[in-house]
PDB file of all heavy atoms in Angstrom:
ATOM      1  N   ARG X 286      59.387-112.445 -74.010  1.00 98.00           N
ATOM      2  CA  ARG X 286      58.264-113.301 -74.396  1.00 98.00           C
ATOM      3  C   ARG X 286      56.935-112.595 -74.167  1.00 98.00           C
ATOM      4  O   ARG X 286      55.889-113.207 -74.275  1.00 98.00           O
ATOM      5  CB  ARG X 286      58.300-114.587 -73.575  1.00 98.00           C
ATOM      6  CG  ARG X 286      58.686-115.811 -74.393  1.00 98.00           C
ATOM      7  CD  ARG X 286      58.814-116.997 -73.453  1.00 98.00           C
ATOM      8  NE  ARG X 286      58.618-118.258 -74.104  1.00 98.00           N
ATOM      9  CZ  ARG X 286      59.600-119.010 -74.598  1.00 98.00           C
ATOM     10  NH1 ARG X 286      60.841-118.600 -74.578  1.00 98.00           N
ATOM     11  NH2 ARG X 286      59.321-120.174 -75.131  1.00 98.00           N
ATOM     12  N   SER X 287      56.995-111.320 -73.854  1.00 98.00           N
ATOM     13  CA  SER X 287      55.764-110.526 -73.718  1.00 98.00           C
ATOM     14  C   SER X 287      56.153-109.060 -73.881  1.00 98.00           C
ATOM     15  O   SER X 287      57.337-108.706 -73.718  1.00 98.00           O
ATOM     16  CB  SER X 287      55.132-110.734 -72.339  1.00 98.00           C
ATOM     17  OG  SER X 287      55.982-110.203 -71.335  1.00 98.00           O
ATOM     18  N   VAL X 288      55.156-108.237 -74.194  1.00 97.00           N
ATOM     19  CA  VAL X 288      55.449-106.812 -74.348  1.00 97.00           C
ATOM     20  C   VAL X 288      55.916-106.238 -73.007  1.00 97.00           C
ATOM     21  O   VAL X 288      56.818-105.402 -72.956  1.00 97.00           O
ATOM     22  CB  VAL X 288      54.226-106.059 -74.914  1.00 97.00           C
ATOM     23  CG1 VAL X 288      54.462-104.558 -74.924  1.00 97.00           C
ATOM     24  CG2 VAL X 288      53.917-106.549 -76.331  1.00 97.00           C
ATOM     25  N   GLY X 289      55.341-106.726 -71.915  1.00 97.00           N
ATOM     26  CA  GLY X 289      55.777-106.269 -70.586  1.00 97.00           C
ATOM     27  C   GLY X 289      57.267-106.528 -70.370  1.00 97.00           C
ATOM     28  O   GLY X 289      58.007-105.641 -69.940  1.00 97.00           O
ATOM     29  N   GLN X 290      57.713-107.737 -70.710  1.00 97.00           N
ATOM     30  CA  GLN X 290      59.149-108.050 -70.566  1.00 97.00           C
ATOM     31  C   GLN X 290      59.981-107.147 -71.469  1.00 97.00           C
ATOM     32  O   GLN X 290      61.054-106.672 -71.088  1.00 97.00           O
ATOM     33  CB  GLN X 290      59.423-109.514 -70.939  1.00 97.00           C
ATOM     34  CG  GLN X 290      58.923-110.515 -69.910  1.00 97.00           C
ATOM     35  CD  GLN X 290      59.303-111.956 -70.262  1.00 97.00           C
ATOM     36  OE1 GLN X 290      59.934-112.228 -71.284  1.00 97.00           O
ATOM     37  NE2 GLN X 290      58.893-112.880 -69.399  1.00 97.00           N
ATOM     38  N   ALA X 291      59.487-106.910 -72.669  1.00 97.00           N
ATOM     39  CA  ALA X 291      60.242-106.079 -73.624  1.00 97.00           C
ATOM     40  C   ALA X 291      60.395-104.656 -73.093  1.00 97.00           C
ATOM     41  O   ALA X 291      61.447-104.032 -73.245  1.00 97.00           O
ATOM     42  CB  ALA X 291      59.538-106.062 -74.979  1.00 97.00           C
ATOM     43  N   GLN X 292      59.347-104.166 -72.446  1.00 96.00           N
ATOM     44  CA  GLN X 292      59.410-102.789 -71.937  1.00 96.00           C
ATOM     45  C   GLN X 292      60.408-102.667 -70.785  1.00 96.00           C
ATOM     46  O   GLN X 292      61.207-101.734 -70.749  1.00 96.00           O
ATOM     47  CB  GLN X 292      58.012-102.334 -71.509  1.00 96.00           C
ATOM     48  CG  GLN X 292      57.155-102.019 -72.737  1.00 96.00           C
ATOM     49  CD  GLN X 292      55.673-101.889 -72.414  1.00 96.00           C
ATOM     50  OE1 GLN X 292      55.198-102.433 -71.419  1.00 96.00           O
ATOM     51  NE2 GLN X 292      54.938-101.183 -73.260  1.00 96.00           N
ATOM     52  N   VAL X 293      60.384-103.641 -69.871  1.00 95.00           N
ATOM     53  CA  VAL X 293      61.346-103.608 -68.758  1.00 95.00           C
ATOM     54  C   VAL X 293      62.766-103.744 -69.316  1.00 95.00           C
ATOM     55  O   VAL X 293      63.683-103.001 -68.947  1.00 95.00           O
ATOM     56  CB  VAL X 293      61.072-104.743 -67.740  1.00 95.00           C
ATOM     57  CG1 VAL X 293      62.133-104.750 -66.655  1.00 95.00           C
ATOM     58  CG2 VAL X 293      59.681-104.610 -67.145  1.00 95.00           C
ATOM     59  N   ALA X 294      62.931-104.694 -70.237  1.00 95.00           N
ATOM     60  CA  ALA X 294      64.258-104.948 -70.798  1.00 95.00           C
ATOM     61  C   ALA X 294      64.777-103.717 -71.533  1.00 95.00           C
ATOM     62  O   ALA X 294      65.970-103.407 -71.494  1.00 95.00           O
ATOM     63  CB  ALA X 294      64.214-106.140 -71.752  1.00 95.00           C
ATOM     64  N   ARG X 295      63.890-103.005 -72.181  1.00 95.00           N
ATOM     65  CA  ARG X 295      64.332-101.846 -72.947  1.00 95.00           C
ATOM     66  C   ARG X 295      64.959-100.795 -72.041  1.00 95.00           C
ATOM     67  O   ARG X 295      66.023-100.246 -72.348  1.00 95.00           O
ATOM     68  CB  ARG X 295      63.149-101.245 -73.704  1.00 95.00           C
ATOM     69  CG  ARG X 295      63.563-100.123 -74.612  1.00 95.00           C
ATOM     70  CD  ARG X 295      62.400 -99.547 -75.366  1.00 95.00           C
ATOM     71  NE  ARG X 295      62.868 -98.532 -76.292  1.00 95.00           N
ATOM     72  CZ  ARG X 295      62.076 -97.841 -77.093  1.00 95.00           C
ATOM     73  NH1 ARG X 295      60.771 -98.062 -77.087  1.00 95.00           N
ATOM     74  NH2 ARG X 295      62.572 -96.937 -77.907  1.00 95.00           N
ATOM     75  N   GLY X 296      64.286-100.546 -70.917  1.00 93.00           N
ATOM     76  CA  GLY X 296      64.833 -99.576 -69.962  1.00 93.00           C
ATOM     77  C   GLY X 296      66.227 -99.986 -69.500  1.00 93.00           C
ATOM     78  O   GLY X 296      67.165 -99.181 -69.504  1.00 93.00           O
ATOM     79  N   LEU X 297      66.367-101.266 -69.138  1.00 92.00           N
ATOM     80  CA  LEU X 297      67.661-101.754 -68.650  1.00 92.00           C
ATOM     81  C   LEU X 297      68.701-101.729 -69.759  1.00 92.00           C
ATOM     82  O   LEU X 297      69.847-101.315 -69.559  1.00 92.00           O
ATOM     83  CB  LEU X 297      67.523-103.190 -68.127  1.00 92.00           C
ATOM     84  CG  LEU X 297      66.619-103.384 -66.905  1.00 92.00           C
ATOM     85  CD1 LEU X 297      66.394-104.873 -66.640  1.00 92.00           C
ATOM     86  CD2 LEU X 297      67.228-102.714 -65.676  1.00 92.00           C
ATOM     87  N   ALA X 298      68.292-102.151 -70.963  1.00 93.00           N
ATOM     88  CA  ALA X 298      69.245-102.274 -72.076  1.00 93.00           C
ATOM     89  C   ALA X 298      69.738-100.903 -72.533  1.00 93.00           C
ATOM     90  O   ALA X 298      70.903-100.746 -72.887  1.00 93.00           O
ATOM     91  CB  ALA X 298      68.597-103.023 -73.233  1.00 93.00           C
ATOM     92  N   GLU X 299      68.848 -99.922 -72.518  1.00 92.00           N
ATOM     93  CA  GLU X 299      69.279 -98.598 -72.972  1.00 92.00           C
ATOM     94  C   GLU X 299      70.370 -98.040 -72.070  1.00 92.00           C
ATOM     95  O   GLU X 299      71.343 -97.468 -72.534  1.00 92.00           O
ATOM     96  CB  GLU X 299      68.075 -97.647 -73.060  1.00 92.00           C
ATOM     97  CG  GLU X 299      67.370 -97.834 -74.397  1.00 92.00           C
ATOM     98  CD  GLU X 299      66.066 -97.073 -74.545  1.00 92.00           C
ATOM     99  OE1 GLU X 299      65.633 -96.416 -73.564  1.00 92.00           O
ATOM    100  OE2 GLU X 299      65.476 -97.151 -75.638  1.00 92.00           O
TER     101      GLU X 299
END
Side-chain angles (χ1 to χ4, degrees):
R286 251 175 155 94
S287 66
V288 173
Q290 287 184 359
Q292 285 166 336
V293 176
R295 185 179 184 180
L297 296 171
E299 276 173 356

